[in-house]
Amino acid sequence: MKSKYTKSESDSNQSKEKNNFKDNSKTFNGSLTLKESFEILESNENDTNKIIKDNYRRLAKQYHYDSLVSKDIPKDLIEIAEEKLKMINAAYEVVKKHKGI
Protein backbone atom coordinates (compact mmCIF):
# COMPACT_ATOMS: atom_id res chain seq x y z
CA MET A 1 0.00 0.00 0.00
CA LYS A 2 2.78 2.41 0.90
CA SER A 3 4.61 1.87 -2.41
CA LYS A 4 1.41 2.55 -4.30
CA TYR A 5 1.00 5.86 -2.48
CA THR A 6 4.64 6.79 -2.98
CA LYS A 7 4.38 6.08 -6.70
CA SER A 8 1.29 8.25 -6.98
CA GLU A 9 3.05 11.00 -5.09
CA SER A 10 6.09 10.83 -7.37
CA ASP A 11 3.85 10.79 -10.45
CA SER A 12 2.09 13.82 -9.06
CA ASN A 13 5.45 15.54 -8.49
CA GLN A 14 6.55 14.78 -12.03
CA SER A 15 3.32 16.26 -13.35
CA LYS A 16 3.88 19.35 -11.21
CA GLU A 17 7.44 19.66 -12.57
CA LYS A 18 6.15 19.57 -16.15
CA ASN A 19 3.57 22.22 -15.32
CA ASN A 20 6.22 24.32 -13.60
CA PHE A 21 8.42 24.11 -16.67
CA LYS A 22 5.57 25.36 -18.81
CA ASP A 23 4.75 28.14 -16.35
CA ASN A 24 8.38 29.15 -15.92
CA SER A 25 9.03 29.25 -19.62
CA LYS A 26 6.03 31.49 -20.25
CA THR A 27 7.09 33.93 -17.54
CA PHE A 28 10.70 34.23 -18.71
CA ASN A 29 11.50 37.91 -18.47
CA GLY A 30 14.82 37.95 -20.26
CA SER A 31 17.07 38.55 -17.27
CA LEU A 32 19.47 35.77 -16.36
CA THR A 33 22.42 35.58 -14.02
CA LEU A 34 25.78 34.43 -15.31
CA LYS A 35 25.46 31.15 -13.42
CA GLU A 36 22.01 30.47 -14.88
CA SER A 37 23.31 31.31 -18.34
CA PHE A 38 26.12 28.78 -18.12
CA GLU A 39 23.68 26.13 -16.84
CA ILE A 40 21.27 26.76 -19.71
CA LEU A 41 24.13 26.45 -22.21
CA GLU A 42 25.33 23.27 -20.48
CA SER A 43 28.73 24.89 -19.98
CA ASN A 44 30.84 26.32 -17.21
CA GLU A 45 33.02 29.38 -16.87
CA ASN A 46 36.21 27.41 -17.61
CA ASP A 47 35.01 26.20 -21.02
CA THR A 48 36.63 27.69 -24.10
CA ASN A 49 34.73 30.07 -26.33
CA LYS A 50 34.53 27.34 -28.98
CA ILE A 51 32.92 24.85 -26.60
CA ILE A 52 30.38 27.44 -25.45
CA LYS A 53 29.57 28.39 -29.04
CA ASP A 54 29.24 24.73 -30.05
CA ASN A 55 26.88 24.08 -27.11
CA TYR A 56 24.82 27.12 -28.05
CA ARG A 57 24.52 26.01 -31.67
CA ARG A 58 23.60 22.43 -30.70
CA LEU A 59 20.90 23.62 -28.29
CA ALA A 60 19.57 26.24 -30.72
CA LYS A 61 19.26 23.59 -33.42
CA GLN A 62 17.59 21.17 -31.00
CA TYR A 63 14.91 23.68 -29.96
CA HIS A 64 14.49 25.57 -33.23
CA TYR A 65 10.95 25.81 -34.58
CA ASP A 66 11.76 24.54 -38.07
CA SER A 67 13.45 21.37 -36.88
CA LEU A 68 10.53 20.57 -34.56
CA VAL A 69 7.81 21.21 -37.14
CA SER A 70 9.51 18.84 -39.55
CA LYS A 71 9.29 16.13 -36.88
CA ASP A 72 5.51 16.63 -36.41
CA ILE A 73 5.87 17.69 -32.78
CA PRO A 74 2.59 18.81 -31.12
CA LYS A 75 1.96 22.55 -31.08
CA ASP A 76 2.02 22.89 -27.28
CA LEU A 77 5.48 21.33 -27.14
CA ILE A 78 6.67 23.62 -29.94
CA GLU A 79 5.54 26.61 -27.88
CA ILE A 80 7.55 25.35 -24.91
CA ALA A 81 10.57 24.83 -27.16
CA GLU A 82 10.24 28.38 -28.51
CA GLU A 83 10.40 29.74 -24.96
CA LYS A 84 13.39 27.51 -24.24
CA LEU A 85 15.09 28.87 -27.36
CA LYS A 86 14.50 32.41 -26.11
CA MET A 87 16.22 31.44 -22.87
CA ILE A 88 19.13 29.87 -24.77
CA ASN A 89 19.58 33.01 -26.87
CA ALA A 90 19.42 35.26 -23.81
CA ALA A 91 21.90 33.04 -21.96
CA TYR A 92 24.32 33.15 -24.88
CA GLU A 93 24.15 36.95 -24.95
CA VAL A 94 25.00 37.11 -21.23
CA VAL A 95 27.92 34.70 -21.63
CA LYS A 96 29.20 36.51 -24.75
CA LYS A 97 29.33 39.79 -22.84
CA HIS A 98 31.10 38.14 -19.91
CA LYS A 99 33.64 36.23 -22.02
CA GLY A 100 34.07 38.93 -24.67
CA ILE A 101 33.11 36.65 -27.54
Side-chain angles (χ1 to χ4, degrees):
M1 177 97 169
K2 183 178 179 181
S3 64
K4 190 175 185 180
Y5 175 77
T6 305
K7 184 177 180 188
S8 296
E9 185 177 57
S10 70
D11 290 345
S12 174
N13 287 340
Q14 287 176 352
S15 176
K16 286 179 185 176
E17 287 176 11
K18 287 180 184 176
N19 289 337
N20 286 341
F21 176 72
K22 287 181 184 178
D23 293 343
N24 289 340
S25 66
K26 289 186 179 184
T27 60
F28 173 65
N29 62 7
S31 61
L32 295 168
T33 66
L34 186 60
K35 182 180 178 182
E36 291 170 334
S37 297
F38 278 114
E39 287 175 6
I40 289 169
L41 295 174
E42 299 175 2
S43 298
N44 63 53
E45 198 164 347
N46 299 325
D47 285 345
T48 64
N49 293 349
K50 182 181 179 347
I51 291 172
I52 293 168
K53 190 174 189 177
D54 288 347
N55 285 352
Y56 164 73
R57 287 183 173 173
R58 177 181 49 81
L59 291 167
K61 183 178 179 181
Q62 179 180 350
Y63 289 100
H64 194 274
Y65 175 82
D66 292 338
S67 66
L68 297 175
V69 169
S70 67
K71 295 177 185 176
D72 293 327
I73 303 292
K75 185 176 178 172
D76 60 331
L77 294 179
I78 289 175
E79 290 173 0
I80 293 170
E82 287 175 336
E83 291 300 319
K84 178 73 173 175
L85 184 57
K86 288 178 187 177
M87 290 175 62
I88 292 166
N89 287 328
Y92 189 56
E93 289 301 317
V94 170
V95 171
K96 281 189 342 184
K97 284 182 183 177
H98 175 73
K99 298 278 272 183
I101 298 175

